[in-house]
Amino acid sequence: MNLFTSSILLTLFMLTTPIMASSTNFYKSNKYQHYVKNMTLLAFIISLIPTTMFIHTNQETLISNWHWITIHTLKLSLSFKMDYFSLMFMPVALFITWSIMEFSIWYMHSDPNINQFFKYLLIFLITMLILTTANNLFQLFIGWEGVGIMSFLLIGWWFGRSDANTAALQAILYNRIGDIGFLLSMTWFLSNMNTWDLQQIFMLDQNSSNIPLMGLTLAAAGKSAQFGLHPWLPSAMEGPTPVSALLHSSTMVVAGIFLLIRFYPLMENNKPVQTMVLSLGALTTLFTAICALTQNDIKKIIAFSTSSQLGLMMVTIGLNQPHLAFLHICTHAFFKAMLFLCSGSIIHNLNNEQDIRKMGGLYKILPFTTTALITGCLALTGMPFLTGFYSKDLIIEAATSSYTNAWALLLTLIATSLTAIYSTRIISLTLLEQPRFPPLMSINETNPLLINPIKRLLIGSIFAGFILSNNMPPMTTPLMTMPLHLKLTALMMTILGFILAFEINTYSKNLKYPHPSNATNFSTLLGYFPTIMHRLPPHLVLTMSQKLATSMLDLTWTEAILPKTTAYIQLKASLLTSNQKGLIKLYFLSFLITMTLTLLSFNYLE
Amino acid sequence: VSLIHINILIAFTISLTGLLIYRSHLISALLCLEGITLSLFILAALTILNSHFTLASMIPIILLVFAAREAAIGLALLVIISNTYGTDYVQNFNLLQC
């Protein structure tokens, strides 16, 4: 009997306390924000207890407390599964959320609804934790929908701006398409395995698990912005920077990947679905890396970078390495959140300027942000022995030395070098050269509320990879031997990307800006995907439904087929065949005289 | 044969002549049409009841249905004519309008 279950439940309960306090007067005071931040900090510290116990003794727990309902043979209860994945994810998520909350005290300082913002962030965190600790699919779905809703509310935070509302709606729509896949899997599990509990699903050995796994892949594609369902992620940058940092870099978008990781016992026996996930991930990572090359908004570049890394995580799942994907989730969260916080610092200091063509020369002005930005970009590209190295390099190694699809591998490698290219673009356009912003900006980074979160995440970006991979119990046999050229593949691709980017930057930075070529247009307009897909299918579907419902059914079938046709035919026929002059009285009179004469003559002829 | 039959037959003949010879309004023709159907109905009902020909007693009922139908069509035609011409004078019928 140890503190395991108590700590977990305490963590989860502690996070709901500020929400319950929001109905009191305390909610309106200035101290609410610090209260929320401190609660998150305490939750982080307490959640370290079960994690340490897990690392030490590999103790996993299944907490099943409240039996909710039994429908026929389906028993639904409130159950939390604290295993490898959820125990390692909780401290990471809480740490990052704590840093982001401290940052957003500084960033959203002048917002009148700042307390509501913190409440939304907290509700988001709680639903994310529900998602990761869920033991049955119903609870997971509650968390899933919860993060979708909070994403909507937070993206549309500045709801007076029509772009923000459009982006929030777009996020909801794309997530909904993924939810169809999720519901399909839930129904399949319900009808074939009679359960929504993960334990029973993994225990029963089914022959073909194609349908539920494809449904889950669709759900992951919707939530984690894979190709085909990806445009909502760059549009979601309409929300404030803390929202982008929390939702769209670390926690929400990894929910889809997390779902697939949870189902790894099913995935490891199903080769076709693995191949599909691999291809989808490879396509996503390359496509979004291409789109990131020519964007001009710093947040969008980082959003595409997130999308590319999510594709990489999908590739890892497709290689049957769920634990590596999970490691990449945890490490990626650190440096991506830090990149977003640095961009938030730059944006706020330049008076809400987000276009990198109007930034420059911040190298000397914001030294700390510069440090963090460069470190984050290097960690992102997989610089040896920073955080990204421990997960990204392992992924590339596993990819190059496994019996897998060569095309997917090629795409992933190209995307790795593109990562280096757009990282260089960010660094050189925002930090180096001369300033391109208006000169009267008061730029400072002296506020500790800004510095401390970035400092913590910086330390995390440097050391977290090392700490995590040394403390995570290995669940698969790591790859020990490979040829030298395969080992150095990731490094060589990254160095290639850096060299290419620096070369092109150096020789062309003082030339005239050229007219955008076709390739540049393709990349900037996101591959024309939103342009086509947001106009054409809705137009087609709506026109088709209008033609079907109104024109065909209503006007034609119930109105024009019999009644109007009959009337029309009669009219035409009578017009054609009649050559009468309308002398009715004459006709009637002649009829009468004929009748009389006939009757009289027959009477007399008798 | 009997007097009542002849009475009703005379009513029928009067309505028939009224239908075929009318002065100016179309509606009088429709009225006479109603008279024809009414006299036919009474003739049929009386003959059948008199000869206890029970099997054929649905004939008057069917006749009623058709009479109602006829009246409706006639009135519809009247309405259309009055929509296009304004009145129902029969002098209008040889004017070239569709």
Side-chain angles (χ1 to χ4, degrees):
Chain A
M1 188 62 198
N2 48 17
L3 280 179
F4 203 100
T5 50
S6 324
S7 318
I8 296 293
L9 291 176
L10 183 62
T11 314
L12 291 173
F13 179 68
M14 211 158 56
L15 290 172
T16 62
T17 318
I19 301 183
M20 293 191 280
S22 72
S23 55
T24 66
N25 237 354
F26 183 59
Y27 183 51
K28 299 184 187 44
S29 75
N30 243 359
K31 298 202 276 274
Y32 186 74
Q33 321 155 15
H34 296 271
Y35 176 61
V36 170
K37 176 192 68 118
N38 288 333
M39 288 306 251
T40 321
L41 168 64
L42 290 174
F44 164 65
I45 294 177
I46 293 190
S47 75
L48 282 177
I49 301 176
T51 311
T52 329
M53 271 196 256
F54 173 74
I55 295 174
H56 187 61
T57 59
N58 200 14
Q59 172 184 2
E60 298 184 0
T61 307
L62 175 58
I63 308 173
S64 176
N65 22 20
W66 179 51
H67 170 219
W68 178 45
I69 191 176
T70 305
I71 303 179
H72 292 295
T73 53
L74 175 71
K75 178 169 186 260
L76 291 175
S77 53
L78 183 70
S79 66
F80 300 98
K81 179 179 165 78
M82 311 307 298
D83 68 335
Y84 177 79
F85 297 124
S86 56
L87 277 176
M88 303 305 286
F89 187 72
M90 262 177 81
V92 169
L94 283 168
F95 180 73
I96 294 181
T97 313
W98 168 42
S99 305
I100 291 178
M101 279 184 179
E102 194 169 342
F103 172 80
S104 57
I105 298 180
W106 173 76
Y107 192 80
M108 310 285 292
H109 183 70
S110 53
D111 198 319
N113 292 332
I114 185 172
N115 289 337
Q116 193 183 22
F117 186 75
F118 273 85
K119 188 168 81 165
Y120 284 174
L121 281 184
L122 200 60
I123 298 179
F124 169 78
L125 181 66
I126 294 172
T127 46
M128 188 69 202
L129 288 179
I130 292 177
L131 200 158
T132 51
T133 57
N135 192 29
N136 53 359
L137 278 178
F138 191 70
Q139 203 168 325
L140 214 153
F141 193 61
I142 294 177
W144 187 269
E145 291 294 302
V147 297
I149 297 266
M150 296 325 290
S151 164
F152 172 76
L153 288 174
L154 284 170
I155 295 175
W157 177 253
W158 290 314
F159 51 79
R161 190 179 146 87
S162 75
D163 281 340
N165 288 333
T166 317
L169 204 57
Q170 204 176 344
I172 288 282
L173 285 175
Y174 277 113
N175 278 342
R176 258 294 172 242
I177 300 180
D179 288 348
I180 298 177
F182 197 102
L183 286 172
L184 172 70
S185 314
M186 274 173 87
T187 339
W188 192 91
F189 283 128
L190 185 59
S191 56
N192 287 52
M193 294 183 183
N194 189 29
T195 180
W196 279 336
D197 285 327
L198 295 182
Q199 273 76 27
Q200 195 166 336
I201 294 177
F202 297 153
M203 222 163 44
L204 293 173
D205 184 23
Q206 293 279 335
N207 275 340
S208 88
S209 51
N210 271 336
I211 297 179
L213 283 176
M214 281 205 271
L216 290 177
T217 314
L218 180 62
K223 191 65 107 182
S224 298
Q226 301 300 310
F227 182 74
L229 295 175
H230 66 278
W232 69 269
L233 192 53
S235 312
M237 297 297 122
E238 294 286 333
T241 308
V243 168
S244 307
L246 186 56
L247 269 72
H248 307 119
S249 65
S250 328
T251 29
M252 185 178 116
V253 291
V254 299
I257 308 282
F258 195 84
L259 184 70
L260 282 180
I261 291 179
R262 265 272 189 249
F263 277 88
Y264 79 90
L266 287 180
M267 293 252 334
E268 62 189 3
N269 295 329
N270 197 337
K271 250 329 184 172
V273 173
Q274 277 181 16
T275 317
M276 198 171 81
V277 166
L278 181 75
S279 320
L280 187 64
L283 186 61
T284 307
T285 179
L286 185 65
F287 181 75
T288 49
I290 290 178
C291 289
L293 287 179
T294 56
Q295 296 295 315
N296 292 320
D297 185 353
I298 188 174
K299 282 173 70 171
K300 280 206 172 36
I301 301 183
I302 307 183
F304 276 115
S305 162
T306 309
S307 208
S308 184
Q309 296 300 306
L310 289 172
L312 190 67
M313 292 175 205
M314 282 290 249
V315 165
T316 328
I317 297 179
L319 292 172
N320 201 12
Q321 300 276 353
H323 304 279
L324 264 184
F326 181 71
L327 182 64
H328 196 58
I329 289 180
C330 294
T331 52
H332 170 258
F334 280 103
F335 51 77
K336 198 45 71 70
M338 187 176 72
L339 279 178
F340 267 114
L341 292 194
C342 295
S343 68
S345 152
I346 296 177
I347 292 172
H348 209 76
N349 275 322
L350 289 181
N351 205 13
N352 297 333
E353 180 57 62
Q354 285 185 302
D355 198 335
I356 57 176
R357 297 173 292 191
K358 290 199 201 159
M359 302 176 191
L362 293 171
Y363 186 73
K364 297 282 176 61
I365 308 176
L366 295 171
F368 187 71
T369 311
T370 314
T371 321
L373 196 67
I374 295 184
T375 317
C377 284
L378 288 177
L380 174 63
T381 59
M383 166 75 79
F385 307 118
L386 289 181
T387 306
F389 173 74
Y390 286 96
S391 49
K392 197 165 175 193
D393 212 52
L394 285 181
I395 294 175
I396 305 281
E397 276 174 26
T400 50
S401 52
S402 64
Y403 182 64
T404 179
N405 197 340
W407 170 80
L409 177 63
L410 187 64
L411 258 56
T412 318
L413 290 177
I414 297 178
T416 316
S417 60
L418 289 182
T419 311
I421 298 181
Y422 61 70
S423 301
T424 323
R425 185 161 191 259
I426 294 181
I427 295 177
S428 73
L429 275 174
T430 59
L431 302 176
L432 304 174
E433 304 297 312
Q434 74 283 6
R436 288 186 292 271
F437 47 85
L440 287 179
M441 298 279 192
S442 65
I443 301 180
N444 66 343
E445 44 178 22
T446 54
N447 198 339
L449 286 173
L450 169 66
I451 296 295
N452 284 337
I454 302 186
K455 206 189 302 183
R456 281 195 296 269
L457 287 177
L458 186 61
I459 296 177
S461 300
I462 302 178
F463 292 114
F466 180 70
I467 296 175
L468 279 173
S469 37
N470 275 347
N471 287 332
M472 280 189 178
M475 305 294 271
T476 59
T477 333
L479 203 50
M480 294 297 187
T481 65
M482 63 190 80
L484 186 65
H485 61 273
L486 287 186
K487 181 97 181 145
L488 295 176
T489 315
L491 195 60
M492 296 317 290
M493 299 304 288
T494 314
I495 292 180
L496 183 70
F498 271 126
I499 293 177
L500 203 63
F502 272 121
E503 269 301 312
I504 298 181
N505 193 25
T506 315
Y507 73 63
S508 67
K509 72 182 178 204
N510 290 324
L511 299 176
K512 184 178 78 130
Y513 190 74
H515 193 73
S517 64
N518 275 339
T520 320
N521 281 341
F522 178 82
S523 172
T524 312
L525 290 174
L526 313 188
Y528 307 118
F529 186 89
T531 325
I532 301 176
M533 293 296 281
H534 287 173
R535 305 291 167 119
L536 194 63
H539 177 74
L540 284 178
V541 168
L542 286 176
T543 339
M544 180 189 82
S545 72
Q546 186 202 22
K547 292 274 176 291
L548 267 181
T550 310
S551 302
M552 204 174 93
L553 275 181
D554 208 25
L555 286 178
T556 313
W557 188 249
T558 54
E559 220 178 88
I561 287 288
L562 277 185
K564 283 202 177 150
T565 312
T566 319
Y568 187 67
I569 291 180
Q570 296 297 324
L571 193 65
K572 283 288 177 210
S574 66
L575 279 180
L576 271 178
T577 60
S578 74
N579 47 2
Q580 301 173 7
K581 295 188 182 50
L583 304 165
I584 293 192
K585 284 206 292 192
L586 197 62
Y587 304 149
F588 274 167
L589 203 57
S590 61
F591 182 68
L592 184 65
I593 293 182
T594 316
M595 287 287 293
T596 324
L597 278 179
T598 319
L599 282 176
L600 281 178
S601 51
F602 271 130
N603 236 353
Y604 278 120
L605 276 181
E606 278 275 315
Chain B
V1 166
S2 64
L3 206 56
I4 299 182
H5 280 183
I6 296 183
N7 190 2
I8 299 182
L9 275 176
I10 290 178
F12 174 77
T13 321
I14 291 180
S15 293
L16 184 66
T17 35
L19 174 65
L20 298 177
I21 304 178
Y22 58 91
R23 281 280 303 272
S24 48
H25 284 273
L26 186 63
I27 198 169
S28 57
L30 292 180
L31 205 62
C32 290
L33 202 61
E34 294 300 309
I36 286 183
T37 53
L38 181 66
S39 61
L40 276 178
F41 172 73
I42 295 189
L43 188 65
L46 275 181
T47 316
I48 288 171
L49 280 174
N50 203 11
S51 54
H52 294 288
F53 189 10
T54 327
L55 192 59
S57 24
M58 66 177 185
I59 292 182
I61 300 178
I62 305 285
L63 222 162
L64 264 183
V65 170
F66 279 111
R69 193 75 174 79
E70 246 171 87
I73 292 183
L75 283 174
L77 279 174
L78 190 71
V79 167
I80 291 183
I81 289 176
S82 130
N83 268 349
T84 47
Y85 289 108
T87 55
D88 60 344
Y89 287 163
V90 296
Q91 299 121 334
N92 302 333
F93 285 172
N94 57 359
L95 295 177
L96 284 176
Q97 279 187 13
C98 64

mmCIF file of all heavy atoms in Angstrom, chain A residues 301-317:
data_model
loop_
_atom_site.group_PDB
_atom_site.id
_atom_site.type_symbol
_atom_site.label_atom_id
_atom_site.label_comp_id
_atom_site.label_asym_id
_atom_site.label_seq_id
_atom_site.Cartn_x
_atom_site.Cartn_y
_atom_site.Cartn_z
ATOM 1 N N ILE A 301 5.044 28.848 -39.584
ATOM 2 C CA ILE A 301 6.198 27.979 -39.851
ATOM 3 C C ILE A 301 6.324 26.960 -38.735
ATOM 4 O O ILE A 301 6.526 25.754 -38.976
ATOM 5 C CB ILE A 301 7.497 28.793 -39.974
ATOM 6 C CG1 ILE A 301 7.385 29.801 -41.095
ATOM 7 C CG2 ILE A 301 8.668 27.880 -40.208
ATOM 8 C CD1 ILE A 301 8.649 30.581 -41.300
ATOM 9 N N ILE A 302 6.179 27.422 -37.498
ATOM 10 C CA ILE A 302 6.313 26.492 -36.379
ATOM 11 C C ILE A 302 5.156 25.502 -36.377
ATOM 12 O O ILE A 302 5.327 24.326 -36.041
ATOM 13 C CB ILE A 302 6.414 27.251 -35.049
ATOM 14 C CG1 ILE A 302 7.521 28.284 -35.145
ATOM 15 C CG2 ILE A 302 6.711 26.305 -33.920
ATOM 16 C CD1 ILE A 302 7.753 29.042 -33.875
ATOM 17 N N ALA A 303 3.970 25.942 -36.826
ATOM 18 C CA ALA A 303 2.836 25.019 -36.901
ATOM 19 C C ALA A 303 3.094 23.926 -37.920
ATOM 20 O O ALA A 303 2.822 22.745 -37.680
ATOM 21 C CB ALA A 303 1.565 25.784 -37.273
ATOM 22 N N PHE A 304 3.658 24.311 -39.067
ATOM 23 C CA PHE A 304 3.975 23.296 -40.065
ATOM 24 C C PHE A 304 5.081 22.388 -39.585
ATOM 25 O O PHE A 304 5.110 21.201 -39.910
ATOM 26 C CB PHE A 304 4.382 23.956 -41.381
ATOM 27 C CG PHE A 304 3.214 24.331 -42.222
ATOM 28 C CD1 PHE A 304 2.942 25.651 -42.497
ATOM 29 C CD2 PHE A 304 2.379 23.367 -42.709
ATOM 30 C CE1 PHE A 304 1.854 25.996 -43.253
ATOM 31 C CE2 PHE A 304 1.295 23.707 -43.471
ATOM 32 C CZ PHE A 304 1.027 25.025 -43.742
ATOM 33 N N SER A 305 5.980 22.957 -38.792
ATOM 34 C CA SER A 305 7.019 22.115 -38.227
ATOM 35 C C SER A 305 6.407 21.073 -37.307
ATOM 36 O O SER A 305 6.802 19.904 -37.315
ATOM 37 C CB SER A 305 8.002 23.011 -37.481
ATOM 38 O OG SER A 305 8.762 22.259 -36.612
ATOM 39 N N THR A 306 5.417 21.501 -36.515
ATOM 40 C CA THR A 306 4.706 20.552 -35.658
ATOM 41 C C THR A 306 4.053 19.459 -36.487
ATOM 42 O O THR A 306 4.137 18.272 -36.164
ATOM 43 C CB THR A 306 3.610 21.266 -34.862
ATOM 44 O OG1 THR A 306 4.156 22.389 -34.231
ATOM 45 C CG2 THR A 306 2.981 20.344 -33.863
ATOM 46 N N SER A 307 3.409 19.890 -37.571
ATOM 47 C CA SER A 307 2.722 18.939 -38.432
ATOM 48 C C SER A 307 3.708 17.939 -39.016
ATOM 49 O O SER A 307 3.432 16.735 -39.100
ATOM 50 C CB SER A 307 2.031 19.722 -39.539
ATOM 51 O OG SER A 307 0.916 19.049 -40.001
ATOM 52 N N SER A 308 4.869 18.432 -39.377
ATOM 53 C CA SER A 308 5.883 17.555 -39.941
ATOM 54 C C SER A 308 6.362 16.545 -38.905
ATOM 55 O O SER A 308 6.528 15.357 -39.196
ATOM 56 C CB SER A 308 7.026 18.425 -40.447
ATOM 57 O OG SER A 308 7.980 17.662 -41.084
ATOM 58 N N GLN A 309 6.569 17.008 -37.673
ATOM 59 C CA GLN A 309 7.002 16.088 -36.630
ATOM 60 C C GLN A 309 5.921 15.077 -36.306
ATOM 61 O O GLN A 309 6.203 13.919 -35.964
ATOM 62 C CB GLN A 309 7.368 16.853 -35.362
ATOM 63 C CG GLN A 309 8.547 17.775 -35.525
ATOM 64 C CD GLN A 309 9.786 17.022 -35.922
ATOM 65 O OE1 GLN A 309 10.183 16.077 -35.270
ATOM 66 N NE2 GLN A 309 10.390 17.431 -37.017
ATOM 67 N N LEU A 310 4.634 15.496 -36.412
ATOM 68 C CA LEU A 310 3.552 14.542 -36.203
ATOM 69 C C LEU A 310 3.571 13.466 -37.273
ATOM 70 O O LEU A 310 3.317 12.290 -36.998
ATOM 71 C CB LEU A 310 2.204 15.264 -36.241
ATOM 72 C CG LEU A 310 1.905 16.149 -35.067
ATOM 73 C CD1 LEU A 310 0.650 16.925 -35.342
ATOM 74 C CD2 LEU A 310 1.715 15.310 -33.833
ATOM 75 N N GLY A 311 3.877 13.886 -38.509
ATOM 76 C CA GLY A 311 4.025 12.894 -39.559
ATOM 77 C C GLY A 311 5.142 11.918 -39.241
ATOM 78 O O GLY A 311 5.037 10.710 -39.472
ATOM 79 N N LEU A 312 6.208 12.458 -38.655
ATOM 80 C CA LEU A 312 7.319 11.599 -38.285
ATOM 81 C C LEU A 312 6.896 10.590 -37.223
ATOM 82 O O LEU A 312 7.286 9.416 -37.258
ATOM 83 C CB LEU A 312 8.470 12.460 -37.769
ATOM 84 C CG LEU A 312 9.794 11.749 -37.556
ATOM 85 C CD1 LEU A 312 10.332 11.316 -38.889
ATOM 86 C CD2 LEU A 312 10.774 12.671 -36.877
ATOM 87 N N MET A 313 6.052 11.065 -36.286
ATOM 88 C CA MET A 313 5.567 10.137 -35.258
ATOM 89 C C MET A 313 4.711 9.040 -35.870
ATOM 90 O O MET A 313 4.791 7.867 -35.470
ATOM 91 C CB MET A 313 4.758 10.887 -34.204
ATOM 92 C CG MET A 313 5.551 11.829 -33.345
ATOM 93 S SD MET A 313 4.419 12.719 -32.289
ATOM 94 C CE MET A 313 5.342 14.184 -31.975
ATOM 95 N N MET A 314 3.896 9.425 -36.878
ATOM 96 C CA MET A 314 3.093 8.408 -37.558
ATOM 97 C C MET A 314 3.992 7.399 -38.249
ATOM 98 O O MET A 314 3.705 6.200 -38.267
ATOM 99 C CB MET A 314 2.178 9.050 -38.610
ATOM 100 C CG MET A 314 0.967 9.712 -38.062
ATOM 101 S SD MET A 314 -0.194 8.509 -37.434
ATOM 102 C CE MET A 314 -1.486 8.661 -38.588
ATOM 103 N N VAL A 315 5.069 7.896 -38.854
ATOM 104 C CA VAL A 315 6.018 6.996 -39.515
ATOM 105 C C VAL A 315 6.575 6.003 -38.503
ATOM 106 O O VAL A 315 6.711 4.814 -38.780
ATOM 107 C CB VAL A 315 7.141 7.813 -40.179
ATOM 108 C CG1 VAL A 315 8.308 6.948 -40.537
ATOM 109 C CG2 VAL A 315 6.617 8.492 -41.415
ATOM 110 N N THR A 316 6.870 6.506 -37.299
ATOM 111 C CA THR A 316 7.416 5.615 -36.280
ATOM 112 C C THR A 316 6.426 4.544 -35.881
ATOM 113 O O THR A 316 6.794 3.388 -35.670
ATOM 114 C CB THR A 316 7.771 6.413 -35.019
ATOM 115 O OG1 THR A 316 8.173 7.687 -35.380
ATOM 116 C CG2 THR A 316 8.839 5.718 -34.248
ATOM 117 N N ILE A 317 5.148 4.951 -35.778
ATOM 118 C CA ILE A 317 4.151 3.937 -35.450
ATOM 119 C C ILE A 317 4.061 2.929 -36.586
ATOM 120 O O ILE A 317 3.895 1.724 -36.367
ATOM 121 C CB ILE A 317 2.787 4.595 -35.196
ATOM 122 C CG1 ILE A 317 2.876 5.516 -34.010
ATOM 123 C CG2 ILE A 317 1.729 3.551 -34.958
ATOM 124 C CD1 ILE A 317 1.592 6.208 -33.716
#
